[in-house]
Amino acid sequence: MLVRLLYASRAVDASAAAIESILAKSREHNPATGITGILCYGRGIFLQAIEGSRSAVNALYGTILRDPRHQDVELLLFEEIGERRFGGWTMGQVNLSRLNASIVLKYSEKPELDPYAVSGAASLSLLEELMATASIVGRTG
């Protein structure tokens, strides 16, 4: 059974090196567990979608909850799915500071990412639009 989990968190360290460390670790470990997804980040906030088997996604989310690089971790959406939406990425990435603010504003009250202030469905729609507009980098082969 496949599931999708969407969560938000605040970065303890939002430096480029810290973000790259998270992405590198994800890309190294996710293929073995069948995890795919996308990480959106900007202004110290992470928005991440994770897809895979229920047990693998739950285990990864438990790891994220204990990870000292994240604080204020909040579950936004958890659903059983028939197919993956982010299957092309072991962990795609989007730096929201490089996007046109109008894309974010379409799903939010303000032109900056704040997944704590919108529904999980709106956050998922934002990620889907970013995918459709080729804003995601880090696609796997």
Side-chain angles (χ1 to χ4, degrees), residues 98-111:
R98 296 185 181 162
L99 288 181
N100 183 326
S102 65
I103 292 175
V104 177
L105 190 58
K106 184 175 177 180
Y107 300 99
S108 177
E109 295 174 6
K110 298 180 183 176

Side-chain angles (χ1 to χ4, degrees), residues 85-104:
R85 291 193 180 145
F86 307 105
W89 292 273
T90 52
M91 192 49 60
Q93 71 184 73
V94 176
N95 183 341
L96 289 172
S97 66
R98 296 185 181 162
L99 288 181
N100 183 326
S102 65
I103 292 175
V104 177

Side-chain angles (χ1 to χ4, degrees), residues 1-3 35 51-60 78 80:
M1 168 189 307
L2 291 173
V3 299
I35 296 284
E51 299 172 328
S53 73
R54 182 171 40 206
S55 60
V57 168
N58 282 329
L60 178 56
F78 183 86
E80 294 177 356

